[in-house]
Structure formats: structure tokens, C-alpha cells
């Protein structure tokens, strides 16, 4: 029997005992449906994370701080108050009696960082505290700024990202700022001049102006977030304005710096670089470090969900075994006849295996298709309601490779389940099968 | 046509051509120890191409076992069957399957048609197993059905046919691959005498006009009497000298 005929016969035989086949396919369908949805969930969330990873920081960059620990104001070990560190910058209170402090980086630190093997570039992160921003003579709003790092991608609603090579002061504003600032639409904000007001060291207010070049989407891990994204020119201008009146030895103090290294560096090379930084007294953190734990948690949740789907599929595979055993039982005569007519045992085995594969394939394909339809409906419904705060998130996404993998896996499960009944059919003795006394 | 085969221990008489099937000291035992059952206990005879042979005997006499061995569906415990002078014990796997497919046709008392399939699909089965291309097998199966006057029933489900039609469909299926031997196991056993007569006539016409060797297993004396020769089996042995047909 030709292979094509075998496949055709297998399909026809599957449709012969309709109710039984449909029930078996339904069992497989449920497993495949669940597996598709759970893995789609993983795909969707992880795709969202990896989209935003490039927003949090470009690959080949590392955030460097001077090694310092979250410390208590009361030194428990010494049994007394903590000694004053003139270079410590308090970055916020993290507990009732604890402040996170980092030791400020000085221009000398930047020079020594640039000298570390593997560091291709160093850029200090200049922090600026704004009093308010306003457009025209409109309402005043508080705001924070973040400087654009080359390699970062912004999810833009309109316009373009701030250009770091430009000497002009440029920025993007988050979509949430568009209306309050007094713009009718995203497009209208583009090209407008925004006024920044901040207080310098001499307690006098300084004013800086810059052009809005883009409007950024607000993402979970968007670099912009709720802050304004500025280019180097604007940040420098603001930093300078803020430092007005400070003695020069105190003016250049930075909480952190960004260093660049080879974007193609392997994990081992990155670890080695971190080691060298640690030896020099600095702590380097990559984007992966920040997000690693996050994706690990999501991966393990998806893994547990997938395990449930696999259990459903295992149960369904026993359905395949049962269905085919019944089929072999019912078709004893037919099998005997085919063997008497010169159909080899191998072909008989193939025929029944193919029937199992057909059951698995039909069940998984239907399951996957329905799951994709359901998943798309559910995620678009959620995106407009429950998850509207996370623009850009497709909760359940499907990529062709994992869909093909699921169909392949379920079909393979069908094949494995079918081997036992198929072997019984292949071993059937034509004489016994055709006996009727 | 006159047959000059021989029985058991006697050396076969020399005939014009080598026997199609040559059976020597064929024995078949089922089970072991106390359950041991000797279905055949040393049977020897020849079948020549174009003959019609009746194997008669009561239920349990070993006649069905003999037919299964002749059709190469089972292996003898001892003894040999030669097909065209070749020892069939040497046949394995693909060659054995090819011989089953191309040399033999089967007609059963219980028909063994797949009831949910159409008559045409049932008749096509041996061609499908042989790997005959789709268009050719349809043409040949339709031809076989026409030959048996069932062309108008080709699309019907096998289960919707009458007994006589079913048996004709089975004969069409046996015939479709142009076999050299048709094995018929009680071909008229499930039919009324008039329909049985029609089926009988068809089988003997095929034997006469197409030279297909006919081996009929039956306990119907009338049917056996129409054959060129008959071999009577009792308790696993040939009991009667063969008789030439009238």
C-alpha cells in the first residue's frame, strides 16, 4: 500500500466511528487548547518584557555605582551611630530606620572607570530635580527627567526620540502630559517649546526651554515612564543651571554612571567585567540583572501551567489508546483480510499508527486554532479593560514556532499512544481473525 | 480437463506441466502437551494450473486448516508446500506478501466486506494494498464489477446488498488482481439454493474461461461434485481417493 493511500485510509477510518473519534479528538482538543493558551501567555508576557528591556537599557551597557550598602542610621555591629560619609548621597528612605545611600561618583571616578579593561565609554548619569514644567503660561506640573541612552528604544505615540547628537535641547513627553499641558493632540505638542523651572544652589529659580520632538507611550518598563525623556544637550543645560553657585569641586557629583562595553560580549565576559569593576570598588548592573528575576518568575509560572496542560494531554492519550484498541477489536476481520491479501505487518502497524496520528493532529490543530481565536479575543478585551494601564501588552501572544511545536508534540503523543494498539493489529494472525466457526 | 494428480504416498503421475501447488507430508499441530491437537497429520497431493479442486470434510476435519496453509496464511508444523516448484518456506516478508496479493483471491462464506464502505471501495482494497495507482485501480475494479453484473451497485454501501450481491462483490474483489488461484471457503454456505447456483456458475465460468485454479472448501456434496477433483479430509488425513469429475 502506498504511503499516500495509507494516510487517506487512516483519515477515512477515523471518520468511520464518528462519535468515538469525535470524543477522543475532543479530549485531545482540551489538552492542546490549554497548552496553547498557557504557552501563549508565556509568549505574550515575555515578548512584552523583551520589548521593554531595550527601553530600560540598551544591550552592551551597564549601570555603575560606587559599592555601598543600604545602611541603617544606627550601626548595629558597632553598637553606635553610623559614621558620616561626605560623598554619600541619600537616594531615599527604604525602611523606617533605613536609608539607601550611594556614594557619589566624581570626575576622577569616571576617569578610572574609563580605564578599566573592557569599558569602551563612560557617561555620568546627571540627576536634575525640577521645580515644575509648563507650556506657554499654562498650569505648572511637577516632572522628572531621564536622559536618553544611545541604543535605547522608545515606544513612541508620535514624533521621534530625542536626538543625542543634536546641540538643540530636545525632549519627549509621556502621553499623560499631553492634555494637562494644554495640547489638543499628540501631534499638536510636537515642535512646541516647554519651559523648565528649577532652583539652583543659591536658592534662585532658573529657567530652561526645550523643544518637544516626540510623545512617548507609557509602558510598564518604558524608559520614559512618567518622566520626560531628554537628550544630552538638554540634560547638560539643566544640570548646569542646577549647579549655578556651587563650588566647582562639589558641582560634578553623580549618583551613577553608564558604561558601554562590547554588545556581543558573552555572559562570562560580562561577569569578568563585573569582577574588574568590583575590584576597582564599583558595582555594575546590566538590564538582564534587573529583569532576570522577573522573567524567571514568569517562566516558572508558565511552566507550571504547561504542566497542567500536559497532564490533560496524558489523560487524552489514554483516550487514544482506548479508541484504537476498540477499533482494532472491531476490525479484526478487516485486519485479517488485509493481511491475507498481502498487506505486510509493517503497513498494518503504520495504518493504525497513522490513525492515532490523525486523531492527535485533528485534536491539536482544532485546539490550537480555537485557542488562538479565544486568546486573541481575551487579550484584546483585557487590553481595553483590565490591562489598559499596560499599553503595548498582548497578554496572550502566539509565535509560529511554539504553535508548530505544540501540534508536533500532541501528534507525537498520539503516535506513542497508538503504538500499543497498532502493534496488536500488526501481530494479528490472519487465520484467527478470519475464523468463524 | 482431466486431472491426474495422486494421493499421499504414491509418486505423482507425470503430467504435461509442473504442478502449480505441490503438497508433501503436510502436518499442522496446535497447542502443546495435553492441549495438543493435530489438525493435519501428513497430507500430500498436487494441484495443477486450471484445475478445480474440492476439499470436503466435516467441521473440524482439518479442511479449513489445509486451506489456510495452501493460501500461505499459516505455516505448517512439518511438510512442504511448493508453489511453481519453489518451496514456500523460503518466502518471507515482501515476496510472501506480493504472492498473497497477486496470486490468490479469496471468497468467504461470511463475505468479509467492510460494511461502511462502498462496494467499489471494497473491491479496490487488494489493488490498494498492491500499490496500484488511483485511476487504474478504479478502472480495474469497475471492470470486475461489470463482469459480475454489479456495475450499478458500485456506489452502494456493502451492507445494503443482498446475500447474492455480496458474494458477487466478494468474487469481484477476489478477481480484481487477476489471481491464479481463487480460494473459496463455503462460497454458497450463506446463500439460498438459487443464488448459490448463480455464484457457483460464476466461479466455474472463471475456472473454465479464464483458467483460474479454483480451490473450494465445502461440505456441500453437490458443489464438490461439480469440481474436477475432490479431496476428502477426515481427522487430518485424506480418506478418499480422488475422483475425476463427471
Amino acid at each position: 500500500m502506498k504511503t499516500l493511500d495509507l494516510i487517506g485510509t487512516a483519515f477515512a477510518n477515523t471518520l468511520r466511528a464518528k462519535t468515538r473519534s469525535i470524543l477522543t479528538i475532543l479530549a485531545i482538543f482540551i489538552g492542546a487548547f490549554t497548552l496553547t493558551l498557557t504557552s501563549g501567555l508565556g509568549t505574550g508576557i515575555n515578548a512584552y518584557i523583551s520589548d521593554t528591556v531595550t527601553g530600560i537599557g540598551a544591550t552592551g551597557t551597564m549601570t555603575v555605582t560606587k559599592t555601598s550598602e543600604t545602611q541603617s542610621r544606627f550601626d548595629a555591629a558597632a553598637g553606635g551611630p553610623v559614621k558620616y560619609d561626605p560623598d554619600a548621597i541619600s537616594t531615599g528612605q527604604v525602611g523606617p530606620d533605613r536609608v539607601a545611600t550611594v556614594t557619589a561618583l566624581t570626575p576622577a571616578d569616571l576617569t578610572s572607570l574609563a580605564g578599566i579593561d573592557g569599558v569602551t565609554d563612560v557617561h555620568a548619569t546627571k540627576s536634575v530635580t525640577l521645580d515644575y514644567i509648563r507650556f506657554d503660561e499654562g498650569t505648572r506640573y511637577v516632572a522628572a527627567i531621564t536622559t536618553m541612552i544611545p541604543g535605547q528604544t522608545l515606544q513612541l505615540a508620535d514624533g521621534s526620540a530625542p536626538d543625542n547628537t543634536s546641540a538643540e535641547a530636545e525632549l519627549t513627553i509621556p502621553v499623560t502630559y499631553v492634555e494637562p499641558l494644554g495640547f489638543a493632540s499628540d501631534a499638536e505638542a510636537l515642535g512646541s517649546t516647554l519651559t523648565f523651572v528649577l532652583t539652583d544652589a543659591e536658592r534662585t529659580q532658573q529657567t530652561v526651554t526645550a523643544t518637544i520632538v516626540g510623545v512617548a507611550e507609557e509602558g510598564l518598563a518604558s524608559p520614559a515612564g512618567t518622566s520626560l525623556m531628554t537628550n544630552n544637550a538638554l540634560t547638560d543645560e539643566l544640570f548646569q543651571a542646577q549647579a549655578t553657585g556651587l563650588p566647582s569641586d562639589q558641582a560634578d557629583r553623580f549618583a551613577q554612571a553608564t558604561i558601554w562595553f562590547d554588545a556581543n560580549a558573552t555572559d562570562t565576559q560580562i561577569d569578568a567585567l563585573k569582577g574588574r569593576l568590583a575590584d576597582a570598588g564599583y558595582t555594575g548592573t546590566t538590564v538582564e540583572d534587573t529583569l532576570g528575576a522577573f522573567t524567571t518568575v514568569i517562566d516558572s509560572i508558565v511552566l507550571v501551567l504547561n504542566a497542567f496542560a500536559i497532564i490533560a494531554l496524558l489523560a487524552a492519550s489514554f483516550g487514544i489508546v482506548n479508541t484504537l484498541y476498540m477499533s482494532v477489536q472491531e476490525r479484526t476481520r478487516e485486519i485479517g483480510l488485509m493481511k491475507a491479501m498481502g498487506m505486510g505487518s509493517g503497513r498494518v502497524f503504520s495504518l493504525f499508527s497513522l490513525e492515532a496520528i490523525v486523531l492527535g493532529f485533528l485534536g491539536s490543530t482544532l485546539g490550537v486554532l480555537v485557542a488562538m481565536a479565544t486568546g486573541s479575543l481575551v487579550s484584546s478585551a483585557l487590553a481595553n479593560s483590565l490591562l489598559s494601564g499596560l499599553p503595548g501588552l498582548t497578554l496572550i501572544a502566539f509565535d509560529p514556532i511554539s504553535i508548530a511545536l505544540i501540534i508536533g508534540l500532541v501528534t507525537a503523543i498520539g503516535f506513542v499512544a497508538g503504538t500499543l494498539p497498532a502493534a496488536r493489529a500488526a501481530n494479528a494472525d490472519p487465520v484467527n481473525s478470519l475464523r468463524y466457526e | 480437463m482431466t486431472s491426474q494428480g495422486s494421493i499421499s504416498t504414491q509418486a505423482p503421475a507425470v503430467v504435461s506441466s509442473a504442478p502449480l501447488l505441490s503438497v508433501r507430508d503436510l502436518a499442522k499441530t496446535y497447542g502443546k502437551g495435553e492441549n495438543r491437537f493435530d489438525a493435519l497429520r501428513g497430507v500430500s497431493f498436487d494441484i495443477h494450473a486450471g484445475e478445480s479442486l474440492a476439499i470436503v470434510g466435516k467441521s473440524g476435519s482439518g479442511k479449513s486448516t489445509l486451506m489456510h496453509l495452501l493460501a500461505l496464511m499459516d505455516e505448517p508444523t512439518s511438510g512442504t508446500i511448493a508453489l511453481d516448484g519453489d518451496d514456500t518456506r523460503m518466502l518471507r516478508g515482501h515476496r510472501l506478501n506480493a504472492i498473497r496479493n497477486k496470486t490468490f483471491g479469496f471468497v468467504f462464506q461470511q463475505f468479509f466486506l467492510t460494511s461502511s464502505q462502498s462496494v467499489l471501495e471494497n473491491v479496490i482494497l487488494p489493488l490498494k494494498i498492491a500499490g496500484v495507482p488511483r485511476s487504474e485501480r478504479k478502472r480495474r475494479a469497475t471492470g470486475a464489477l461489470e463482469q459480475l453484473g454489479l456495475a450499478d451497485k458500485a456506489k452502494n454501501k456493502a451492507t445494503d446488498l443482498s446475500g447474492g450481491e455480496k458474494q458477487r462483490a466478494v468474487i469481484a474483489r477476489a478477481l480484481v488482481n487477476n489471481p491464479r488461484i481463487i480460494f473459496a471457503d463455503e462460497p454458497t454456505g450463506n446463500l439460498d439454493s438459487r443464488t448459490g447456483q448463480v455464484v457457483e456458475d460464476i466461479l466455474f465460468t472463471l475456472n473454465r474461461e479464464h483458467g483460474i485454479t479454483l480451490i473450494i472448501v465445502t461440505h456441500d456434496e453437490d458443489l464438490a461434485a461439480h469440481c474436477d477433483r475432490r479431496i476428502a479430509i477426515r481427522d487430518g488425513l485424506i480418506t478418499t481417493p480422488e475422483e475425476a469429475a463427471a
Side-chain angles (χ1 to χ4, degrees):
Chain A
M1 202 183 251
K2 293 218 175 99
T3 310
L4 210 63
D5 285 332
L6 270 182
I7 296 169
T9 311
F11 261 100
N13 286 341
T14 307
L15 298 176
R16 236 155 73 182
K18 279 195 193 68
T19 319
R20 200 166 61 203
S21 294
I22 288 170
L23 286 174
T24 314
I25 289 171
L26 206 63
I28 304 161
F29 168 88
I30 291 167
F33 177 83
T34 319
L35 189 59
T36 311
L37 277 189
T38 52
S39 77
L41 205 61
T43 309
I45 294 173
N46 281 331
Y48 181 63
I49 291 171
S50 78
D51 275 354
T52 47
V53 158
T54 47
I56 289 176
T59 48
T61 64
M62 212 183 264
T63 305
V64 178
T65 54
K66 238 184 181 168
T67 307
S68 177
E69 276 147 34
T70 306
Q71 47 183 228
S72 171
R73 283 176 190 154
F74 194 80
D75 189 342
V82 177
K83 279 184 190 142
Y84 172 67
D85 176 359
D87 279 340
I89 296 173
S90 169
T91 57
Q93 188 142 3
V94 295
D97 190 36
R98 302 176 77 83
V99 277
T101 61
V102 289
T103 308
L105 297 166
T106 61
D109 286 316
L110 296 182
T111 320
S112 71
L113 275 172
I116 290 172
D117 184 30
V119 177
T120 55
D121 197 6
V122 182
H123 209 288
T125 309
K126 293 170 178 168
S127 62
V128 175
T129 313
L130 296 173
D131 287 347
Y132 61 86
I133 54 165
R134 79 196 302 185
F135 170 64
D136 214 1
E137 290 303 310
T139 320
R140 297 177 291 184
Y141 291 99
V142 292
I145 64 155
T146 309
T147 314
M148 185 81 186
I149 301 170
Q152 269 183 331
T153 51
L154 266 179
Q155 292 162 317
L156 289 165
D158 206 349
S160 58
D163 183 6
N164 265 338
T165 59
S166 168
E168 299 295 316
E170 292 177 355
L171 81 154
T172 62
I173 57 170
V175 278
T176 44
Y177 275 74
V178 172
E179 269 187 62
L181 284 172
F183 301 113
S185 67
D186 291 353
E188 201 194 291
L190 302 181
S192 307
T193 304
L194 197 67
T195 308
F196 293 78
V197 175
L198 50 80
T199 308
D200 68 12
E202 294 171 324
R203 312 306 303 165
T204 51
Q205 289 201 321
Q206 298 273 349
T207 305
V208 173
T209 56
T211 315
I212 299 171
V213 294
V215 176
E217 288 278 14
E218 215 176 309
L220 173 68
S222 161
T226 53
S227 65
L228 314 175
M229 203 76 187
T230 60
N231 68 349
N232 283 335
L234 178 54
T235 309
D236 287 347
E237 211 176 311
L238 289 168
F239 195 69
Q240 236 158 6
Q242 183 177 252
T244 310
L246 269 184
S248 62
D249 63 325
Q250 280 181 39
D252 292 330
R253 287 289 179 277
F254 315 106
Q256 57 183 38
T258 304
I259 60 163
W260 275 259
F261 53 91
D262 183 10
N264 299 319
T266 61
D267 286 351
T268 352
Q269 286 170 323
I270 292 173
D271 282 343
L273 177 59
K274 280 183 196 164
R276 287 193 294 276
L277 286 169
D279 290 345
Y282 304 101
T283 309
T285 319
T286 60
V287 181
E288 284 74 21
D289 292 338
T290 320
L291 283 176
F294 200 27
T295 42
T296 309
V297 168
I298 286 168
D299 280 344
S300 36
I301 291 172
V302 168
L303 203 69
V304 170
L305 291 175
N306 279 351
F308 284 119
I310 297 280
I311 289 169
L313 279 173
L314 277 182
S317 73
F318 283 100
I320 297 184
V321 175
N322 197 24
T323 302
L324 284 179
Y325 263 134
M326 282 168 77
S327 187
V328 170
Q329 197 70 30
E330 253 172 35
R331 284 152 60 193
T332 312
R333 288 275 156 83
E334 196 187 327
I335 296 163
L337 188 71
M338 290 193 293
K339 294 189 100 177
M341 284 176 176
M343 184 146 160
S345 297
R347 299 260 99 176
V348 174
F349 181 84
S350 307
L351 179 62
F352 280 86
S353 290
L354 275 170
E355 286 180 32
I357 289 172
V358 165
L359 288 173
F361 178 75
L362 287 180
S364 59
T365 310
L366 281 176
V368 163
L369 288 178
V370 174
M372 283 172 79
T374 314
S376 307
L377 282 177
V378 165
S379 49
S380 68
L382 283 178
N384 294 328
S385 56
L386 202 61
L387 300 174
S388 56
L390 298 174
L393 169 63
T394 309
L395 186 62
I396 304 164
F398 306 98
D399 73 290
I401 296 168
S402 53
I403 292 301
L405 270 179
I406 289 169
I407 295 181
L409 172 78
V410 177
T411 310
I413 289 176
F415 168 75
V416 172
T419 48
L420 280 175
R424 176 179 279 189
N427 291 330
D429 177 8
V431 173
N432 280 332
S433 310
L434 294 175
R435 186 162 282 157
Y436 46 73
E437 279 99 345
Chain B
M1 183 193 291
T2 312
S3 295
Q4 294 178 319
S6 67
I7 55 153
S8 65
T9 52
Q10 283 181 329
V14 177
V15 286
S16 54
S17 60
L20 178 59
L21 278 168
S22 184
V23 178
R24 289 293 170 270
D25 299 321
L26 205 60
K28 178 70 183 178
T29 305
Y30 293 108
K32 275 181 183 165
E34 283 182 22
N35 296 323
R36 186 185 157 98
F37 170 65
D38 295 310
L40 284 178
R41 298 187 289 174
V43 173
S44 301
F45 61 92
D46 285 343
I47 302 168
H48 291 273
E51 265 192 305
S52 59
L53 175 78
I55 299 172
V56 293
K58 286 183 183 150
S59 183
S61 61
K63 64 182 194 307
S64 290
T65 304
L66 179 58
M67 191 199 82
H68 292 146
L69 292 173
L70 289 176
L72 307 181
M73 281 157 66
D74 207 352
E75 287 181 16
T77 311
S78 67
T80 59
I81 300 169
L83 179 69
D84 285 329
D86 297 327
D87 190 345
T88 53
R89 282 179 304 185
M90 299 299 146
L91 295 172
R92 283 282 181 280
H94 186 71
R95 278 188 60 209
L96 177 62
N97 284 327
I99 285 178
R100 281 177 178 169
N101 185 256
K102 299 225 162 60
T103 315
F104 303 143
F106 295 96
V107 177
F108 303 96
Q109 179 183 9
Q110 305 272 341
F111 316 129
F112 296 152
L113 292 166
T114 306
S115 53
S116 60
Q117 290 182 340
S118 75
V119 174
L120 189 68
E121 282 173 309
N122 269 288
V123 174
I124 276 176
L125 184 61
L127 298 175
K128 213 174 183 180
I129 291 171
V132 173
R134 190 171 288 266
S135 58
E136 190 190 336
R137 65 187 185 219
K138 192 175 177 196
R139 187 178 54 75
R140 278 166 65 177
T142 312
L145 282 172
E146 269 167 17
Q147 197 179 339
L148 290 152
L150 280 175
D152 55 329
K153 304 273 183 189
K155 296 252 156 36
N156 289 34
K157 285 226 165 142
T159 186
D160 297 336
L161 298 184
S162 71
E165 286 169 339
K166 276 183 185 161
Q167 198 59 297
R168 271 147 65 200
V170 172
I171 294 171
R173 182 176 68 189
L175 206 60
V176 77
N177 227 355
N178 298 321
R180 296 165 66 192
I181 307 171
I182 286 183
F183 290 97
D185 190 359
E186 300 283 8
T188 57
N190 256 4
L191 305 173
D192 61 63
S193 55
R194 203 175 60 80
T195 336
Q197 189 59 48
V198 173
V199 168
E200 200 179 311
D201 288 345
I202 293 170
L203 287 174
F204 283 108
T205 310
L206 289 171
N207 173 244
R208 261 196 325 276
E209 292 178 4
H210 297 268
I212 297 173
T213 308
L214 200 58
I215 298 174
I216 301 176
V217 174
T218 185
H219 55 247
D220 179 349
E221 286 296 331
D222 287 343
L223 179 59
H226 280 106
C227 294
D228 296 337
R229 278 199 300 152
R230 51 182 284 166
I231 291 173
I233 305 268
R234 190 175 169 188
D235 297 332
L237 288 168
I238 294 177
T239 55
T240 55
E242 60 200 70
E243 299 156 10

